[in-house]
Amino acid sequence: MFIKDGQLPEDIAARRKAGLPETDSQPEAAADEVIYEKPLSEYEPEDWYAKYPKPDVMERFAVHMIDTGIFYIIFSLIYYFVIPGTSFNLANFVFMYFFAVYTNLANFLTWIPLLLTNGYTPGKYLYKHRVFRMDGEKLTLRDVIVRTLLIKGFCNTASCGIMNIVSIIVAYIRPYTSALHDIAANTVTVSIKSESKKEEKRVEFN
C-alpha cells in the first residue's frame, strides 16, 4: 500500500473523523497472573527439599557445638551453685564439654527454646536453620519431647553416644540428612537463609 504525500493512513483518518486520538494511549493491560503458593500443611517431602536448601553438614555440627556449649555452661553453673564445695579446673571442663557434645546431654534443655520459638535453638537461629513438622503445623510439646528430649537426649546419653553415631550414619544414608530424631518426630531440619535474604531485600515505602 502506497501513501501519497499529505495523505493520512486510513486508520488515522478514521480516528480523526471520529474525534479520537491518532494513537491508542491505553494499550491492552496484561491479565494479572495469579500464582498459587502451596501452604506448608499441603507439603510433601519433595516440596520441602525443593523450597529449602539442605543444611550444610559442617554448619549442623557447628550448631550442635554452640547449643551444647551454651547449655553445658548453664548446667555447670547450676551444679556449681547447688552443690557446695564444687570446683572446676580447665581439664575437667574441657573433658566434660566434649562428653556433653558426644552424648547430646545439652538436649535436656534445648527442647525448651525449640518449642517456644517453633523450630529454633540458639545455634540454629545463628546459622539460619529451622526445624519444621513435615505436615507444616506448629511444633507441639509432644514433637519436641520425642525429637529432642527422648531421642537426642535420653537415648543418646543412655547409650553413651552410640545412638548419636548411628543417627549420623542414618542421616547420611537417608535423603536430605534426616536423622533418627527427625524420623521419630516426623520433622525436617532445613536452611532458611534464602528466605532471610528475601526479607533483607524487601523495601517498604511510606
Side-chain angles (χ1 to χ4, degrees):
M1 172 182 170
F2 296 94
I3 300 174
K4 297 179 181 179
D5 292 340
Q7 182 179 350
L8 296 172
E10 291 181 7
D11 60 333
I12 296 180
R15 281 179 172 276
R16 279 190 177 180
K17 188 175 180 180
L20 298 173
E22 293 182 7
T23 57
D24 189 357
S25 58
Q26 294 181 344
E28 226 178 279
D32 292 335
E33 185 181 357
V34 179
I35 300 174
Y36 174 72
E37 187 166 348
K38 186 186 295 187
L40 299 183
S41 58
E42 295 181 11
Y43 270 31
E44 298 294 335
E46 55 271 18
D47 294 321
W48 288 108
Y49 312 152
K51 183 176 176 64
Y52 297 101
K54 181 170 65 174
D56 181 76
V57 174
M58 293 308 297
E59 285 188 359
R60 291 196 72 171
F61 178 70
V63 166
H64 180 46
M65 297 291 283
I66 290 169
D67 287 340
T68 301
I70 291 172
F71 291 101
Y72 175 64
I73 290 171
I74 294 173
F75 270 124
S76 300
L77 290 175
I78 293 172
Y79 191 80
Y80 179 81
F81 286 109
V82 169
I83 300 178
T86 300
S87 60
F88 287 105
N89 58 54
L90 183 60
N92 284 340
F93 187 86
V94 171
F95 172 79
M96 291 305 297
Y97 169 68
F98 281 101
F99 181 75
V101 170
Y102 180 65
T103 59
N104 277 339
L105 277 169
N107 288 288
F108 282 104
L109 285 180
T110 52
W111 67 273
I112 299 172
L114 197 67
L115 176 65
L116 295 179
T117 62
N118 192 29
Y120 293 106
T121 62
K124 283 181 172 58
Y125 183 80
L126 181 65
Y127 278 90
K128 299 295 184 289
H129 293 181
R130 188 176 177 186
V131 177
F132 286 97
R133 273 177 47 154
M134 292 295 285
D135 60 4
E137 299 296 328
K138 186 177 180 180
L139 290 171
T140 65
L141 180 61
R142 177 193 171 278
D143 297 327
V144 295
I145 285 178
V146 169
R147 182 188 188 278
T148 305
L149 191 59
L150 180 61
I151 304 298
K152 290 187 72 176
F154 179 77
C155 290
N156 280 317
T157 305
S159 64
C160 292
I162 294 174
M163 192 169 181
N164 197 21
I165 296 172
V166 173
S167 185
I168 293 170
I169 295 171
V170 170
Y172 274 101
I173 293 174
R174 286 179 58 84
Y176 215 64
T177 62
S178 298
L180 290 178
H181 47 271
D182 282 316
I183 298 169
N186 197 30
T187 58
V188 60
T189 303
V190 297
S191 172
I192 59 168
K193 288 181 182 178
S194 56
E195 286 197 346
S196 302
K197 288 178 182 177
K198 288 178 186 176
E199 291 292 330
E200 290 172 5
K201 291 180 181 177
R202 182 178 295 172
V203 179
E204 294 183 1
F205 297 94
N206 294 326

